Amino acid sequence: MATTAPVHPVDEVPPVRQLAAFGLQHVLAMYAGAVAVPLIVGGAMKLSPADMAYLITADLLVCGIATLIQCVGFWRFGVRLPIMQGCTFAAVSPMVLIGTTGGGLPAIYGSVIVAGLAIVLLAPVFGRLLRFFPPLVTGTVILIIGISLLPVAGNWAAGGVGSADFGEPKNLALAGFVLAVVLGVQRFAPAFLSRIAVLIGIAVGLAVAVPFGFTDFGGVGDSDWVGISTPFHFGAPTFHASAIISMLVVALVTMTETTGDLIAVGEMTDRKIEPRSLADGLRADGLSTVLGGVFNTFPYTAYAQNVGLVGMTRVRSRWVVAAAGGILVLLGLLPKLGAVVAAIPAPVLGGAGLVMFGTVAASGLRTLAQVDFKDNHNLTVVAVSIAIGVLPVGVPTVYEKFPDWFQTVMNSGISAGCLTAIVLNLLFNHLPGKAGSPKTAAEPEAASAGA
């Protein structure tokens, strides 16, 4: 009698009720970050409220499509892991510069399309570089991702950057209340409820926020019921060499960041990333970025916010995140529904973000626990990489006197720390050492990986 092979947790399909709850939780975790990019770029270009609303709905629609491509996959596109996709912040500064001085939105979209095609072509090359990501490097990168995200949660908890009441005790009190609810549900609630602790925390926080005047649902009434993003709404794309070059630099940065996120999710779900699956995930990034240029939005990458949610809830099914992608498509097609989600106060998201982003950092520490730090230089690799990665997080203006291309790479703590970890690992653990130098722990790994 034939026996069916056990289904890996990544491929399990939970009941519809759980799919909806877990998926909504992922959407709420990334929504504020997803809409921030069009808000920043559109605001810098002084777009009309109608155009801003169009950018946001187009972004949500393509976020959902990109997430479905990454989770469900087809042919050689998609890593088929629980990965949420969203607009990358690494592209914000170059896009603002292109949009305000170099040709407006059509020039942005032309450079985004070229960058997406470049990512698709470069994906196999990055796949072959996976051997340079041993636990020493991946653990360091995951730790830096978590640390880099914590200021985002801190800004949300304080009321949101630019808010009139930023830092008011009432904002931090609401964020602290949501954090307490999340922790209480995780510790004392039944198993299913503990897995949607973030969703419950946000729901309870919103219920408390309404009577205290934290919420503004004015935008809901002004929103349309249905909105469909059409290709090249703002005009045919134009192609400027300077814009394309700056966006190609962004593409390399986002590929580096996505590599770290994919490896992190692979660690959390017990489905290790292989060179082929890494290339498939990056190829999906490239395709989604091309779609972004066509459908009036921006470059896409894996969202580290949701990496933390996977680690915290221990829900590893990619179909949960695919359900989140479906919800994002609905939000993109139904602007009024999107406006309801957008009305959730920043402090509520901040309380949930603190535990999610801290979980990412803790996952990095768990990976580093596999590394041998005795009689080798591995501690130096970790120490310097974290220092370089956290530098732009703690001092955001540290590189403002440098050229734009340098700022694009180094102002992202994730890419700066990742590149540093790769280079230092090569320097200390792969290059021939001096006579009498300590034997490195990475040498056996390098040998087995064919490095």
Side-chain angles (χ1 to χ4, degrees):
M1 183 174 176
T3 58
T4 56
V7 177
H8 192 283
V10 166
D11 298 317
E12 286 180 349
V13 183
V16 173
R17 179 174 61 92
Q18 294 184 16
L19 271 178
F22 292 147
L24 180 59
Q25 186 170 239
H26 272 283
V27 170
L28 296 179
M30 61 83 70
Y31 188 92
V35 301
V37 174
L39 284 173
I40 295 168
V41 175
M45 296 179 63
K46 297 180 171 54
L47 297 182
S48 68
D51 284 344
M52 292 280 279
Y54 195 96
L55 280 184
I56 290 172
T57 53
D59 173 36
L60 293 173
L61 176 65
V62 181
C63 272
I65 295 170
T67 299
L68 289 168
I69 293 171
Q70 193 69 275
C71 294
V72 179
F74 67 94
W75 191 52
R76 296 297 304 279
F77 291 86
V79 72
R80 296 167 175 83
L81 285 173
I83 292 283
M84 286 291 288
Q85 298 284 109
C87 279
T88 174
F89 283 87
V92 168
S93 296
M95 289 192 302
V96 167
L97 195 63
I98 296 166
T100 53
T101 65
L105 285 172
I108 291 176
Y109 295 140
S111 63
V112 167
I113 290 170
V114 173
L117 293 172
I119 293 172
V120 172
L121 294 174
L122 289 172
V125 178
F126 259 71
R128 288 194 288 271
L129 296 177
L130 190 60
R131 61 182 179 150
F132 298 116
F133 286 86
L136 173 65
V137 173
T138 58
T140 303
V141 171
I142 297 168
L143 177 57
I144 292 170
I145 290 171
I147 295 172
S148 298
L149 287 170
L150 285 172
V152 175
N155 283 321
W156 287 345
V161 176
S163 63
D165 61 351
F166 186 85
E168 289 281 349
K170 63 176 185 177
N171 292 333
L172 295 168
L174 178 58
F177 171 74
V178 171
L179 176 60
V181 172
V182 171
L183 295 176
V185 172
Q186 265 206 306
R187 175 63 182 86
F188 299 108
F192 170 68
L193 291 179
S194 71
R195 289 177 176 173
I196 55 169
V198 170
L199 178 60
I200 293 172
I202 290 174
V204 173
L206 182 60
V208 170
V210 171
F212 284 96
F214 281 92
T215 52
D216 178 12
F217 291 103
V220 178
D222 298 333
S223 301
D224 296 327
W225 280 104
V226 178
I228 299 175
S229 180
T230 54
F232 307 126
H233 174 79
F234 295 99
T238 57
F239 302 92
H240 301 271
S242 58
I244 290 170
I245 291 169
S246 63
M247 205 56 67
L248 288 175
V249 174
V250 169
L252 293 174
V253 172
T254 58
M255 290 178 81
T256 305
E257 293 183 352
T258 297
T259 298
D261 290 331
L262 296 184
I263 292 171
V265 172
E267 296 267 352
M268 292 175 180
T269 58
D270 295 324
R271 178 173 278 181
K272 301 291 185 184
I273 291 293
E274 303 292 340
R276 179 185 172 113
S277 56
L278 174 58
D280 291 348
L282 293 172
R283 207 176 276 114
D285 261 16
L287 175 59
S288 302
T289 297
V290 172
L291 291 176
V294 172
F295 286 95
N296 320 293
T297 180
F298 307 115
Y300 284 84
T301 187
Y303 255 32
Q305 291 97 310
N306 299 85
V307 174
L309 192 56
V310 171
M312 185 189 134
T313 62
R314 299 183 299 283
V315 176
R316 296 180 281 178
S317 171
R318 61 190 172 106
W319 298 105
V320 163
V321 179
I327 294 171
L328 284 171
V329 170
L330 277 178
L331 294 176
L333 296 174
L334 304 173
K336 198 173 286 291
L337 193 59
V340 172
V341 178
I344 296 174
V348 173
L349 297 173
L354 286 170
V355 65
M356 287 190 302
F357 303 162
T359 300
V360 179
S363 298
L365 292 175
R366 183 176 61 189
T367 301
L368 286 173
Q370 306 170 23
V371 178
D372 181 10
F373 288 101
K374 186 178 180 181
D375 297 329
N376 56 45
H377 300 290
N378 288 341
L379 195 63
T380 301
V381 174
V382 175
V384 176
S385 301
I386 291 175
I388 298 297
V390 172
L391 188 59
V393 177
V395 190
T397 58
V398 66
Y399 298 122
E400 66 177 8
K401 304 295 185 185
F402 284 74
D404 289 339
W405 67 267
F406 186 90
Q407 291 187 50
T408 300
V409 176
M410 298 302 291
N411 270 343
S412 165
I414 298 170
S415 63
C418 184
L419 292 173
T420 304
I422 293 170
V423 170
L424 292 182
N425 181 52
L426 289 173
L427 176 65
F428 286 111
N429 294 330
H430 288 262
L431 295 180
K434 62 186 178 182
S437 65
K439 179 178 175 61
T440 67
E443 282 171 0
E445 290 173 355
S448 64

